[in-house]
Amino acid sequence: MPPSSLRVVYAFAREMHPKTTDVFIEYGTAGFRTKASLLEHVVYRMGLLAVIRSRVKNGRTIGIMITASHNLEPDNGVKLIDPEGEMLEQSWEEIATRLANVSDNDLEATTVEVIKQVNADMGLKASVFIGMDTRYTSPRLAAAAVHGVMALKGTAKEFGIVTTPILHYCVRCRNDNTYGTPTEEGKKYGPYSLVSTPGERGQLNLNCGADFVKVSQKPPVGVEHAPFQRVASLDGDGDRLVYYYLDDNNKMHLLDGDKIATLLASYVTQLLKACEATDLKLGLVQTAYANGASTKYITEDLKVPVSCVKTGVKHLHHAAQSYDIGVYFEANGHGTVLYSDKAKTTIRRIAQEGEPEQRKAAQLLLNFIDMTNETVGDAISDLFLVETVLCARGQNVKEWMEAYTDLPCRQLKVTVQDRNAISTADAERRCTAPEGLQSRIDELVATYKSGRSFVRPSGTEDVVRVYAEADTQENADKLAAQVSQAVFDLAGGVGDRPVA
Ligand code: NG1
Ligand code: ZN
């Protein structure tokens, strides 16, 4: 295709989705995410990029999801999904960032440059699936994505309102029809009933949702529960799940991603033993946010290998692929289980040829695999996996909770002039800049029993996140406040000083 025919890339941009801001935007932990009003030109350009990516992948389908997940209503975001239903390959993040930030005048030339750089055959067909969450700004952004796809003569298929994991699943199925049918119904979840959607005036994630429950350690505002009732909280795009219950003193008990990961891993381990698939190695992947008690339980009680990686699902997913069966979860409830081809083949064989007891366990495992959305964390699929284990074991939520006791923890945010002044190493558990911050954190941590703390720049918000845990809630809160103060002082804090 001669470059002259890319004129339309510029024309659509100028007339329909002009770039009206100079604020630099970066493809971060979960794509581009910021105030919805700053995103229209970015999403249009991601429509362009998705077509180029589809052609580089020989016309296989690419996904575009419009959502800001757990963030509040005024935000929105966009992320690309690769043909296997995975997050966009990391080396393309820089290309996405470049395309998102050029001026309208330079857009055509940059598009040509990118096409050359990645060696896309623009004569091929291109297919792009587009989904969005329920934010009122999402339809407008989805339209911008469609226009981007049209501008480069790709075919866009709109799915309307879907969860993030459903779109990942549909992309995967479209490219690999052995995985399932690319429709919402294809993922046979069966019926479930929505207990409550609070939030003031129905605003997404406001005082409710998985992130609110996890970070504030409180139940959603305005919901009532019977004691020991099992309650699940999801986030705005359906890829995170946490559980909680209230005891008879109305105290909340949270079962987060770590609790879910350990429950699923222990059940799969139990079935692997029962079907005597001893050559299959199961492993668990966490991030620095995993509660220290969970890591200890996994290592010492479950005796399962565990690895710690940087925040962001793409890192967890990647690490989980190195096991025959890899269970990965962020503490915030985003995660899933991955099964290698070797694992699937072995388990299928045992289900056919094993001794009766082995066959039974292998069949249960096959059902479990079938219910898993392996493309990405999926709150609904994870919910059914949890319910399956509790049902199989006849366990209630309290018994599930009792497997191990979480260390009290606290998460805080600090606003600084430039959050990228913070650099980290060792899966974000230590900070290498600014100078003096890590030694200050070490000093503070040393004064607490079971103390642990780390800081890192957020990839989705303009803040530095602080995490702390200690023997009591009071101490965890104190440690978090002191570390926040250290960040404020040594990394250029702005606004109100954090209260220690
Ligand atoms: P950032 O803002 O980079 O901390 C948050 C979550 C991540 C991940 C992304 C994407 C925490 C502490 N961080 O990232 O785990 O889920 O959002 O949604 O929960
Ligand atoms: Zn989400």
Side-chain angles (χ1 to χ4, degrees):
M1 189 196 269
S4 62
S5 61
L6 294 191
R7 210 56 207 154
V8 67
V9 165
Y10 169 66
F12 282 16
R14 189 194 54 205
E15 296 301 328
M16 305 196 54
H17 310 293
K19 182 166 181 280
T20 54
T21 165
D22 284 333
V23 180
F24 182 80
I25 185 163
E26 198 169 358
Y27 199 100
T29 327
F32 296 104
R33 198 175 289 183
T34 182
K35 297 281 159 273
S37 56
L38 301 177
L39 270 174
E40 202 171 310
H41 68 284
V42 177
V43 177
Y44 168 68
R45 291 151 185 228
M46 287 310 101
L48 303 174
L49 190 65
V51 171
I52 297 173
R53 180 95 184 131
S54 170
R55 292 196 173 123
V56 165
K57 293 286 174 188
N58 262 319
R60 296 170 86 209
T61 295
I62 299 294
I64 300 181
M65 182 68 196
I66 315 280
T67 180
S69 179
H70 57 283
N71 290 21
L72 292 177
E73 187 106 335
D75 287 9
N76 215 325
V78 55
K79 47 194 177 189
L80 260 55
I81 303 168
D82 260 356
E84 299 293 318
E86 295 177 26
M87 306 275 176
L88 176 67
E89 184 186 301
Q90 225 163 324
S91 64
W92 277 58
E93 291 179 4
E94 177 273 319
I95 301 176
T97 300
R98 193 172 359 130
L99 205 59
N101 287 288
V102 289
S103 68
D104 287 332
N105 279 333
D106 291 338
L107 182 59
E108 187 183 332
T110 306
T111 306
V112 172
E113 207 178 278
V114 169
I115 291 170
K116 263 205 202 121
Q117 179 192 339
V118 299
N119 206 6
D121 178 352
M122 296 304 276
L124 292 179
K125 286 196 157 96
S127 153
V128 180
F129 283 3
I130 300 170
M132 62 179 200
D133 70 15
T134 58
R135 279 162 225 266
Y136 63 87
T137 53
S138 292
R140 184 197 291 268
L141 294 177
V146 173
H147 295 156
V149 174
M150 282 176 174
L152 285 182
K153 301 200 170 68
T155 308
K157 179 169 170 177
E158 288 195 82
F159 283 69
I161 298 169
V162 283
T163 66
T164 291
I166 283 288
L167 194 68
H168 281 258
Y169 171 80
C170 287
V171 168
R172 167 78 179 259
C173 293
R174 180 65 221 287
N175 294 318
D176 166 12
N177 58 17
T178 63
Y179 197 69
T181 319
T183 60
E184 270 187 85
E185 291 72 34
K187 188 102 203 111
K188 291 199 197 75
Y189 287 144
Y192 58 95
S193 58
L194 210 51
V195 181
S196 62
T197 48
E200 277 164 31
R201 287 179 284 123
Q203 283 181 40
L204 196 65
N205 301 323
L206 186 65
N207 295 332
C208 66
D211 200 57
F212 174 84
V213 170
K214 163 77 182 156
V215 177
S216 71
Q217 304 180 25
K218 290 187 190 124
V221 173
V223 193
E224 292 193 359
H225 309 297
F228 300 104
Q229 184 186 0
R230 196 158 68 240
V231 192
S233 264
L234 281 63
D235 76 338
D237 64 338
D239 58 9
R240 290 192 192 181
L241 169 73
V242 297
Y243 275 76
Y244 67 90
Y245 66 90
L246 303 181
D247 64 19
D248 25 20
N249 296 317
N250 231 15
K251 181 172 181 294
M252 189 185 92
H253 299 262
L254 178 74
L255 298 115
D256 62 2
D258 306 335
K259 288 276 180 186
I260 296 174
T262 47
L263 184 79
L264 303 187
S266 72
Y267 184 64
V268 173
T269 305
Q270 175 193 329
L271 290 181
L272 283 175
K273 263 198 200 122
C275 64
E276 292 175 39
T278 42
D279 61 330
L280 296 180
K281 294 280 165 281
L282 178 137
L284 219 144
V285 187
Q286 303 185 310
T287 71
Y289 290 101
N291 195 282
S294 75
T295 315
K296 191 160 176 273
Y297 170 74
I298 294 159
T299 319
E300 292 176 10
D301 296 29
L302 297 182
K303 303 199 190 310
V304 160
V306 52
S307 41
C308 180
V309 298
K310 287 203 285 193
T311 302
V313 180
K314 60 189 172 205
H315 303 298
L316 290 116
H317 194 94
H318 183 76
Q321 283 170 331
S322 65
Y323 298 110
D324 294 319
I325 298 180
V327 182
Y328 74 83
F329 269 86
E330 295 190 310
N332 61 35
H334 190 152
T336 187
V337 188
L338 303 183
Y339 315 88
S340 66
D341 288 341
K342 175 184 161 196
K344 286 179 183 164
T345 316
T346 308
I347 297 161
R348 271 191 214 115
R349 187 176 38 75
I350 298 174
Q352 303 251 314
E353 302 166 4
E355 299 299 316
E357 281 307 304
Q358 289 173 279
R359 283 216 306 257
K360 214 168 106 193
Q363 191 52 52
L364 285 174
L365 205 43
L366 287 180
N367 297 346
F368 202 78
I369 295 173
D370 219 25
M371 199 147 56
T372 312
N373 185 345
E374 288 180 75
T375 62
V376 76
D378 182 330
I380 304 293
S381 156
D382 290 340
L383 184 140
F384 284 122
L385 295 178
V386 168
E387 295 298 314
T388 301
V389 180
L390 295 180
C391 177
R393 291 183 169 172
Q395 264 186 352
N396 62 30
V397 70
K398 191 162 164 284
E399 290 160 336
W400 170 21
M401 190 70 171
E402 280 162 359
Y404 66 88
T405 308
D406 273 318
L407 278 168
C409 64
R410 180 62 64 201
Q411 249 195 72
L412 296 175
K413 301 180 196 183
V414 183
T415 309
V416 297
Q417 270 151 26
D418 173 14
R419 70 189 200 273
N420 295 314
I422 305 248
S423 313
T424 63
D426 189 19
E428 301 173 324
R429 288 173 290 191
R430 297 190 64 76
C431 109
T432 48
E435 216 182 306
L437 182 53
Q438 186 57 50
S439 48
R440 180 76 188 118
I441 296 175
D442 290 341
E443 278 166 29
L444 291 167
V445 165
T447 60
Y448 291 91
K449 190 165 173 244
S450 306
R452 183 171 76 92
S453 180
F454 67 93
V455 304
R456 55 174 280 279
S458 159
T460 64
E461 281 178 76
D462 194 9
V463 296
V464 175
R465 292 197 198 286
V466 173
Y467 177 90
E469 60 189 36
D471 57 340
T472 65
Q473 189 62 54
E474 201 190 339
N475 283 342
D477 291 352
K478 244 170 92 183
L479 178 57
Q482 288 171 328
V483 172
S484 298
Q485 182 67 51
V487 171
F488 190 92
D489 292 342
L490 295 168
V494 292
D496 294 338
R497 293 172 77 81
V499 212

